[in-house]
Amino acid sequence: MYLAKIYVTYKPSILDPQGEVIKSALKRMDYADIQQVAQGKYFEVKLNAKDVDTASSEVKSFTEALLINQNTETYRFDLSLVEDEVEA
Amino acid sequence: MYLAKIYVTYKPSILDPQGEVIKSALKRMDYADIQQVAQGKYFEVKLNAKDVDTASSEVKSFTEALLINQNTETYRFDLSLVEDEVEA
Amino acid sequence: MKGINSMTTIAENELTPEQVRDSKIYTQWGLTEVEYELIVKTLKRLPNFTETGIFSGMWSEHVSYKKSKPILKKFWSTNERVLQGPGEGAGILDIGDGQAVVFKAESHNHPSFVEPYEGAATGVGGILRDIFSMGAQPIAVLDSLRFGELDDPHTRHIVDGVIAGIAGYGNAIGIPTVGGEISFDSVYSGNPLVNVMAVGLIDQAAMQVGQARGVGNSIIYVGAKTGRDGINGASFASAEFSTDHESDRSAVQVGDPFLEKLVMDATLKAVREHSDIIVGIQDMGAAGLLSSSSEMAAKAGMGITLNLNLVPQRELHMTPYELMLSESQERMLLVVKRDEEQAIIDLFKEADLDAVVIGEVTDNGRYILEFDKGIVADLPIDFLTHAPKQDLPMTKPERMSTFNDTQYEPDIADLKATILAIMSQQTIASKASLFRHFDSMVRADTVIKPGGDASLVRVRGTKKALAMTTDVNARYLYLNPFVGAKMAVAEAARNIVSTGALPIGITDGLNFGSPDNPEVYYELDQSVAGINVVAQQLNTPVISGNVSLYNETDGQAIYPTPMIGMVGLLDDVNQAMTIGFKNPGDIIYLIGKTEDSFNGSEIQKMQTGKIDGQLFDFDDEAELVAQKLVRSAIHKELINSAHDLSEGGLIVGLLESSFQNTLGFDIDTQQDAKYLFSETPSRFVVSVSPELSDEFESIASGYATKLGHVTHSDEISIKTSTQNVHLSLVETVKVYQESISCQLKD
Amino acid sequence: MKAAVISFPGSNCDFDMLYALKDFGIDVQIVFAKENNLDEFDAIFLPGGFSYGDYLRTGAIARFSPIMSAVTKAANEGKLIVGVCNGFQILTEAGLLPGQLLVNKNPGFICEEVPLKVVNNNTNFSNAYSLNETIMIPIAHGEGNYFADDEVLTELENNHQVVFRYGNNPNGSLNDIAGIMNEKGNVFGMMPHPERAVEKVTGNIDGQNFFKSILSGILNQA
Ligand SMILES: Nc1ncnc2c1ncn2[C@@H]1O[C@H](COP(=O)(O)OP(=O)(O)O)[C@@H](O)[C@H]1O
Ligand SMILES: [Mg+2]
């Protein structure tokens, strides 16, 4: 089984107002040295696939179809082989 | 300046409803081999600190105080030294 | 029945009964030595680990009301409208035509301090479950919030989180947050108050109760899976705080409004379609599965047996202790007739929700938990659900005997500056920048939105509307809990009356410090007494409520803050009255007398930084007369606006009426200028068309004073016997509207 | 002539929309997202709410629910499709309308009545208004910040696909966009809630002409 770790962030041209809000909250809490905050999304997906290439193209496909909106977001991912057991 | 990349996920023992919703959407879209989906958060924070240890303890402190809910979430982070310029 | 010897010890590291006794772990869970000994004596054996946890949850103040019950018993809670008084998920009042209104308040003070967003969000989720577990469709949410002052950065962080949390949950589930109140005082900085009230509508035929009747009937668990969140939150809410609170964060639950919407819709559908087979419904609130299941059985005089392995679980390897005391959100318990379960299960399955039979009703009066084929708890339900009551000592607070009996003398050398300063005070200034985050209009029934006196929600399909409000001025209670509590009820009623509605009932949120302090216990007792007096005069029974004690941090108690949630009934929504002036030329009247009422007032706080002196009087008779007059003037269609006066006094009321439709006014009070700021209760400002002024005066003579008239200019012109002042409407509005948002920015 | 209001799990303005349509005499019913056929309907309404919790991205999951293939089919057949608030977000995610609704520029949900300017009254959704008329309509959203790239924006403007603009941009939307339609003019989305502004008793009737427009639009098509 493969584990894909997918990191989604806004494209650089898109303003990230949530990052700004977090930044000002941190300033208020006296974390004075914060320069910039960006908030993104992070997914861990476990999937079966016959080989790493298939897994990789599968991840690419569903990430672009569902997990991100290509208008504004971009992503990268790592893929690793993991043990076969899924709990619960 | 340091760049912290912070990955927040639910604690392993917690089933996450958002991940479940995504998983069933993926199944409906015929990605049949998906075993498990977890949705988390991803933050990129740039901060000044006198050394890597200070930066690291700062990141730990504000992540636990604000970015995560320790009840249900856990996190890890990478820290790297970056150039001094902040955009926007 | 299997004997006690078959009881198993669950986890390897779980303490044995002897270890529980010797380590006294129960004291950390909030049980006293005396209580533990009583348990041992009654059971005639040592309780095991799970059972000890069960007692600690059930006997916490939050669940058992063991300390407040002797006082709560005194509430007046019956009249011709009351269909359900205290004792169920929520109280119910008859509103005619076979319909009823259901309401209750709940506090989430401690969780909101620790984890503001989730604390407030789950407060909303919890109170909504109380409403729909009665079979009622929730139609509105209100809140009552107290924070420290905004110059404190941590307070700003809490305010942001709490507002976002209420919005996050209420908006998503689609129940409008139609009103509430927010004020600020440094006594709340370590102990904010987050009370939420929910109102629902029900057909009387569909009323449900949380009872487990009928031997052999099935206990069905529905909704979210059980996780480790909020384990033992009830004892957490029943303990004082120390500033070392970070470790307590794990006691805060996480909410999922999407899931709750599914649970709500499915539960209401089940009530509509299967009322013949549903015996009882109970939400899981404080002390989760434990208190809901044991109380349902206790109320019906029955026993209950649950198999914990059947409980849907969100985490692995949960112990019985954790399963019973978890406060995971969005869960309900249904009692359904034996052999009829499938219809209910299918209905929930259709909405993709878990619905599982986890146990049954028995006739042995025992609370039995099975787990991994053994029995992990076997307790007499009656004993379990009746914590030993505690009669606590009370004494009049020291401070009250030191209060000076003269009223504070405001300094108004510069009247204009004083007015502008009052309008910008945190407690007075517009809260729109906060409540704009709440969806106040979803369901499209909101007639009067936040920003007026009471809010008004129409009952679709009828001409009726329900008015609702939350109120209390805790400064008055700090000076005098009895009189202050009377004033709180009166003020709530004035707000209802300003819309034209008739006040019909009360829910309360009793927020106090530690009851173990005799002065605090006195405050609680006197507050309840004060509420009762006015509730009876107004014929508004107290049908539900909530108690939150131990609101102190490091020994600093909050002001006694009994939030009054009131509901009113307006027979014809077309008569709904609002606070704003409507037409230039309309004549402005003050109803009620203005006296030297400055101790505890906004102007005293603003000018001296504190609250001090003996509270001014409350005249019950004057209050009733003023309310009656305003309602009858509204019903006779004699007036165009009505606004009750409270914090900040006449000047604040006039300006708020003026701001609504941006109409100025020109008045002469013929009194000393200081009376613009007096907070004498039992007063309203109304405006009347000139053609109707004779008729209005004929019913109001002796009670109303003509002040002047509404203008269309941008200018506000005020004469008094000592000073005159002109204000720019635009400038004054700006101060009023922007004060809070400016202070919330960094 | 029949209309459908789609109820997704988490929709919470479905009944508000249903009641508003009924008030205008339209034969309307709720259709659940699990279903997959809308052939019998002439107009389809996607209401506000938080479909599937909107945890991933507003509208992202709803877009893949079974009913959406029927909505797409109906759109292609030229039937009227109207998305309000979450419905608009779903239509953009589904690609039936261009662009995307992002988090408000100042993050946080806002519920307020805001001025809208009718900038194209020659549409199925606005023909009962006058051109450039200003109306007050409530908004209630946290993610209503309309975004599209320059090319798409230019196209929208050139084709007069923008129907309503904010008078007082509350959320950072590009070009003050509050409501747009597709090029064909049969699919429409807006963030503000006209269904909350149809009754005098609740204080605002500026949304009435929106429904009157649609009514004449449906009649034209039928
Ligand atoms: N201050 C109060 N005044 C009147 N009734 C109260 C008060 N506090 C609690 N009650 C009633 O006691 C019952 C239990 O309340 P509570 O434990 O807060 O409910 P829940 O189990 O939903 O948390 C409810 O019926 C409630 O209305
Ligand atoms: Mg309850």
Side-chain angles (χ1 to χ4, degrees):
Chain A
M1 194 162 59
Y2 291 91
L3 168 64
K5 295 183 176 177
I6 305 158
Y7 312 91
V8 177
T9 48
Y10 280 121
K11 290 180 181 168
S13 62
I14 305 286
L15 277 183
D16 169 20
Q18 283 156 316
E20 289 299 305
V21 169
I22 295 170
K23 181 171 143 191
S24 48
L26 288 173
K27 295 245 162 190
R28 256 191 227 171
M29 295 163 72
D30 285 333
Y31 294 99
D33 289 331
I34 306 294
Q35 300 301 305
Q36 196 177 5
V37 180
Q39 178 173 354
K41 290 176 194 142
Y42 172 60
F43 300 90
E44 292 183 351
V45 179
K46 288 186 184 164
L47 71 165
N48 290 324
K50 68 175 195 304
D51 55 37
V52 63
D53 285 348
T54 322
S56 169
S57 78
E58 186 97 327
V59 171
K60 188 164 164 347
S61 154
F62 69 68
T63 300
E64 292 177 5
L66 181 69
L67 299 187
I68 73 161
N69 184 319
Q70 299 198 59
N71 279 317
T72 51
E73 290 171 328
T74 169
Y75 72 102
R76 63 191 165 81
F77 68 91
D78 317 325
L79 206 55
S80 56
L81 202 60
V82 292
E83 270 172 44
D84 235 35
E85 171 211 354
V86 171
E87 296 194 351
Chain B
M1 193 162 58
Y2 292 91
L3 168 63
K5 295 184 175 178
I6 307 160
Y7 313 95
V8 178
T9 48
Y10 279 111
K11 288 181 180 167
S13 67
I14 298 209
L15 276 187
D16 119 59
Q18 317 176 13
E20 288 299 303
V21 169
I22 295 170
K23 181 171 145 190
S24 44
L26 288 172
K27 296 250 163 191
R28 275 204 302 276
M29 296 162 68
D30 287 333
Y31 294 98
D33 289 331
I34 306 293
Q35 299 302 306
Q36 196 175 6
V37 180
Q39 177 176 352
K41 291 180 201 135
Y42 171 59
F43 299 91
E44 293 185 351
V45 179
K46 290 186 182 162
L47 72 164
N48 289 323
K50 69 174 193 304
D51 54 37
V52 64
D53 285 349
T54 320
S56 170
S57 78
E58 185 97 325
V59 171
K60 187 165 160 2
S61 153
F62 69 68
T63 301
E64 293 178 3
L66 183 73
L67 300 185
I68 73 162
N69 182 330
Q70 295 197 63
N71 184 18
T72 50
E73 291 172 330
T74 168
Y75 70 103
R76 62 191 165 82
F77 65 93
D78 317 324
L79 207 54
S80 56
L81 202 61
V82 293
E83 272 173 41
D84 235 35
E85 171 211 352
V86 172
E87 297 191 358
Chain C
M1 196 185 73
K2 282 175 252 181
I4 228 59
N5 297 335
S6 67
M7 269 203 254
T8 43
T9 296
I10 304 313
E12 310 239 313
N13 54 1
E14 194 171 286
L15 302 182
T16 64
E18 291 73 22
Q19 286 167 328
V20 168
R21 178 192 59 200
D22 298 342
S23 68
K24 297 193 192 301
I25 186 172
Y26 53 83
T27 59
Q28 290 168 35
W29 294 345
L31 284 175
T32 64
E33 296 283 357
V34 174
E35 287 168 340
Y36 181 78
E37 278 158 25
L38 178 69
I39 292 166
V40 173
K41 197 172 136 228
T42 307
L43 298 184
K44 302 194 181 69
R45 61 179 170 85
L46 295 180
N48 67 19
F49 182 87
T50 304
E51 291 173 328
T52 310
I54 285 175
F55 277 105
S56 82
M58 290 303 294
W59 287 11
S60 69
E61 173 60 23
H62 200 58
V63 173
S64 73
Y65 293 102
K66 62 190 170 191
K67 297 180 181 176
S68 46
K69 218 175 225 161
I71 291 175
L72 295 184
K73 272 207 320 245
K74 300 178 188 167
F75 269 130
W76 174 69
S77 57
T78 45
N79 74 358
E80 63 288 351
R81 282 189 196 276
V82 178
L83 300 172
Q84 176 66 59
E88 282 290 337
I92 308 184
L93 293 176
D94 188 347
I95 58 167
D97 304 325
Q99 288 182 304
V101 60
V102 182
F103 55 93
K104 180 168 187 295
E106 185 81 66
S107 63
H108 252 210
N109 303 337
H110 294 78
S112 302
F113 180 58
V114 177
E115 193 71 70
Y117 183 95
E118 294 297 348
T122 53
V124 174
I127 191 65
L128 288 172
R129 283 193 298 282
D130 274 328
I131 301 302
F132 69 76
S133 68
M134 305 299 293
Q137 169 66 53
I139 59 167
V141 170
L142 297 94
D143 56 72
S144 171
L145 311 175
R146 293 292 179 283
F147 300 109
E149 291 178 15
L150 290 173
D151 54 4
D152 169 17
H154 190 234
T155 289
R156 294 200 295 273
H157 169 71
I158 294 175
V159 171
D160 280 349
V162 165
I163 297 293
I166 294 173
Y169 208 102
N171 299 351
I173 195 169
I175 307 300
T177 302
V178 298
E181 54 152 5
I182 307 176
S183 60
F184 305 89
D185 193 298
S186 56
V187 294
Y188 302 105
S189 63
N191 225 125
L193 302 183
V194 176
N195 287 206
V196 278
M197 165 178 171
V199 181
L201 256 186
I202 192 170
D203 286 334
Q204 291 176 25
M207 286 172 15
Q208 293 293 327
V209 288
Q211 291 198 2
R213 281 176 281 111
V215 179
N217 283 342
S218 290
I219 312 293
I220 300 187
Y221 172 115
V222 303
K225 295 180 166 58
T226 298
R228 288 194 174 86
D229 41 346
I231 300 269
N232 224 349
S235 5
F236 165 67
S238 304
E240 276 169 47
F241 250 28
S242 81
T243 34
D244 170 31
H245 63 264
E246 292 299 330
S247 57
D248 285 334
R249 291 180 79 193
S250 68
V252 178
Q253 314 88 330
V254 179
D256 180 355
F258 170 60
L259 186 62
E260 176 134 315
K261 177 156 174 47
L262 301 182
V263 173
M264 174 175 78
D265 292 347
T267 303
L268 293 174
K269 188 171 180 210
V271 169
R272 273 195 311 274
E273 296 180 1
H274 298 290
S275 60
D276 51 329
I277 58 175
I278 298 177
V279 175
I281 304 181
Q282 175 85 36
D283 64 297
M284 292 190 220
L289 178 55
L290 167 62
S291 83
S292 54
S293 59
S294 59
E295 282 173 6
M296 274 180 114
K299 277 189 265 180
M302 303 302 284
I304 208 166
T305 299
L306 301 180
N307 179 348
L308 299 188
N309 295 99
L310 300 175
V311 172
Q313 297 171 31
R314 196 175 63 192
E315 307 188 40
L316 301 171
H317 315 304
M318 291 189 69
T319 64
Y321 170 83
E322 292 171 327
L323 288 166
M324 295 317 292
L325 285 144
S326 160
E327 293 188 4
S328 289
Q329 299 290 294
E330 292 93 27
R331 302 178 300 160
M332 308 280 289
L333 218 50
L334 270 57
V335 181
V336 172
K337 284 191 185 153
R338 160 186 229 157
D339 300 331
E340 311 259 14
E341 304 84 1
Q342 201 55 43
I344 301 293
I345 292 172
D346 290 346
L347 187 152
F348 281 91
K349 285 270 144 73
E350 171 75 20
D352 293 327
L353 293 168
D354 275 319
V356 183
V357 175
I358 60 166
E360 64 173 356
V361 180
T362 65
D363 60 1
N364 59 15
R366 299 203 67 85
Y367 191 70
I368 298 177
L369 302 178
E370 299 170 352
F371 183 76
D372 286 350
K373 305 212 164 69
I375 290 180
V376 293
D378 182 349
L379 302 167
I381 283 203
D382 212 40
F383 178 59
L384 177 61
T385 52
H386 289 90
K389 270 186 217 129
Q390 297 187 4
D391 275 312
L392 300 174
M394 52 177 99
T395 52
K396 187 166 173 174
E398 185 70 35
R399 63 172 186 274
M400 290 179 69
S401 47
T402 68
F403 287 148
N404 198 319
D405 67 357
T406 56
Q407 290 293 314
Y408 171 70
E409 186 68 29
D411 165 13
I412 37 168
D414 184 342
L415 181 55
K416 179 170 177 179
T418 310
I419 293 175
L420 292 176
I422 276 279
M423 295 313 288
S424 70
Q425 293 303 296
Q426 297 170 17
T427 291
I428 302 290
S430 169
K431 310 300 182 300
S433 63
L434 300 174
F435 64 63
R436 75 199 285 257
H437 297 303
F438 304 149
D439 189 339
S440 57
M441 301 173 70
V442 60
R443 298 181 61 79
D445 289 327
T446 311
V447 177
I448 301 181
K449 296 193 276 286
D453 277 341
S455 307
L456 194 68
V457 178
R458 124 319 269 273
V459 179
R460 203 181 269 276
T462 74
K463 273 169 74 184
K464 288 181 291 201
L466 293 165
M468 41 197 91
T469 183
T470 55
D471 279 291
V472 57
N473 185 336
R475 291 170 182 166
Y476 299 168
L477 280 113
Y478 173 72
L479 299 185
N480 186 323
F482 178 72
V483 178
K486 289 171 76 173
M487 289 176 180
V489 178
E491 189 194 334
R494 283 199 302 281
N495 283 320
I496 299 286
V497 162
S498 295
T499 67
L502 174 72
I504 58 171
I506 294 175
T507 184
D508 63 69
L510 303 178
N511 304 280
F512 289 82
S514 165
D516 304 329
N517 173 346
E519 293 196 349
V520 171
Y521 204 62
Y522 173 92
E523 291 172 349
L524 177 62
D525 180 67
Q526 289 297 296
S527 300
V528 167
I531 291 170
N532 257 340
V533 171
V534 181
Q536 293 187 54
Q537 288 167 346
L538 293 169
N539 195 20
T540 50
V542 179
I543 59 161
S544 62
N546 178 255
V547 182
S548 171
L549 302 176
Y550 302 99
N551 289 290
E552 4 193 305
T553 298
D554 300 335
Q556 146 100 72
I558 60 164
Y559 289 157
T561 314
M563 183 279 286
I564 303 299
M566 188 178 278
V567 170
L569 178 62
L570 180 63
D571 290 324
D572 182 357
V573 66
N574 296 308
Q575 291 194 321
M577 187 52 53
T578 54
I579 71 167
F581 293 144
K582 303 294 181 307
N583 315 298
D586 280 0
I587 300 174
I588 301 170
Y589 293 89
L590 169 65
I591 293 175
K593 296 241 167 346
T594 304
E595 290 160 353
D596 276 285
S597 311
F598 295 109
N599 289 343
S601 67
E602 191 61 41
I603 197 160
Q604 182 188 42
K605 168 76 180 173
M606 179 174 96
Q607 296 187 336
T608 68
K610 59 177 195 200
I611 294 305
D612 197 15
Q614 262 179 36
L615 184 61
F616 43 86
D617 291 334
F618 175 70
D619 177 346
D620 308 43
E621 197 48 43
E623 181 70 46
L624 297 178
V625 168
Q627 290 190 20
K628 216 167 168 184
L629 175 59
V630 170
R631 276 194 67 233
S632 92
I634 293 171
H635 294 165
K636 294 190 167 122
E637 302 190 353
L638 294 177
I639 63 180
N640 292 330
S641 71
H643 189 13
D644 97 291
L645 300 187
S646 55
E647 283 105 328
L650 175 62
I651 187 63
V652 173
L654 284 166
L655 288 170
E656 286 173 345
S657 291
S658 156
F659 296 161
Q660 287 266 319
N661 300 311
T662 327
L663 290 169
F665 60 88
D666 185 342
I667 59 153
D668 182 352
T669 66
Q670 298 178 9
Q671 272 189 313
D672 189 305
K674 72 178 181 182
Y675 290 108
L676 287 169
F677 305 95
S678 159
E679 298 187 6
T680 311
S682 318
R683 296 180 303 156
F684 294 85
V685 165
V686 302
S687 63
V688 178
S689 307
E691 319 80 86
L692 295 172
S693 63
D694 285 348
E695 197 180 336
F696 173 75
E697 284 179 19
S698 74
I699 67 164
S701 83
Y703 305 108
T705 316
K706 186 163 158 179
L707 294 179
H709 62 275
V710 180
T711 66
H712 56 243
S713 83
D714 170 48
E715 196 168 79
I716 289 164
S717 166
I718 300 168
K719 288 199 189 61
T720 71
S721 64
T722 50
Q723 294 181 60
N724 299 337
V725 68
H726 293 276
L727 297 164
S728 147
L729 179 52
V730 178
E731 187 192 332
T732 319
V733 166
K734 201 169 144 68
V735 165
Y736 174 75
Q737 283 180 345
E738 294 179 4
S739 171
I740 300 263
S741 50
C742 287
Q743 295 181 73
L744 272 171
K745 285 197 197 109
D746 294 314
Chain D
M1 188 267 296
K2 270 184 98 169
V5 174
I6 309 300
S7 181
F8 297 92
S11 291
N12 61 28
C13 302
D14 40 357
F15 282 89
D16 302 359
M17 183 63 84
L18 181 90
Y19 293 136
L21 290 165
K22 280 192 170 156
D23 281 352
F24 289 89
I26 296 174
D27 177 10
V28 55
Q29 75 187 60
I30 298 276
V31 175
F32 291 100
K34 283 186 176 173
E35 288 166 39
N36 57 17
N37 187 322
L38 289 166
D39 289 347
E40 61 175 307
F41 300 99
D42 308 293
I44 290 140
F45 293 80
L46 282 65
F50 290 73
S51 50
Y52 299 89
D54 273 351
Y55 293 121
L56 173 61
R57 229 176 23 254
T58 56
I61 303 279
R63 170 212 168 172
F64 290 104
S65 55
I67 197 70
M68 284 308 290
S69 40
V71 171
T72 305
K73 175 167 176 263
N76 293 336
E77 290 164 0
K79 292 179 177 174
L80 290 191
I81 315 287
V82 174
V84 166
C85 198
N86 195 227
F88 184 18
Q89 294 163 339
I90 296 168
L91 291 175
T92 60
E93 280 286 334
L96 291 171
L97 289 172
Q100 188 188 350
L101 283 311
L102 298 177
V103 171
N104 293 349
K105 191 166 170 217
N106 293 314
F109 193 100
I110 321 169
C111 174
E112 233 157 45
E113 291 189 51
V114 300
L116 295 187
K117 203 164 153 193
V118 182
V119 294
N120 180 354
N121 71 336
N122 189 20
T123 79
N124 285 321
F125 317 97
S126 58
N127 59 53
Y129 292 109
S130 349
L131 186 63
N132 293 328
E133 180 181 352
T134 294
I135 55 177
M136 295 298 291
I137 301 287
I139 56 167
H141 60 245
E143 304 187 27
N145 177 357
Y146 185 80
F147 173 86
D149 61 30
D150 289 344
E151 203 180 320
V152 171
L153 277 180
T154 311
E155 212 173 300
L156 281 175
E157 296 294 354
N158 289 345
N159 298 336
H160 305 288
Q161 285 170 249
V162 180
V163 181
F164 298 109
R165 275 189 230 279
Y166 295 111
N168 198 347
N169 196 334
N171 52 27
S173 291
L174 292 178
N175 295 14
D176 300 325
I177 286 175
I180 56 167
M181 59 183 186
N182 65 352
E183 207 181 332
K184 251 165 74 184
N186 69 318
V187 179
F188 169 83
M190 73 192 291
M191 287 310 297
H193 287 270
E195 80 281 10
R196 297 186 184 184
V198 291
E199 285 184 273
K200 205 161 151 267
V201 66
T202 49
N204 182 351
I205 54 169
D206 283 5
Q208 286 187 351
N209 279 342
F210 175 75
F211 290 95
K212 288 182 186 160
S213 304
I214 290 172
L215 202 55
S216 69
I218 301 178
L219 292 178
N220 284 345
Q221 306 214 330

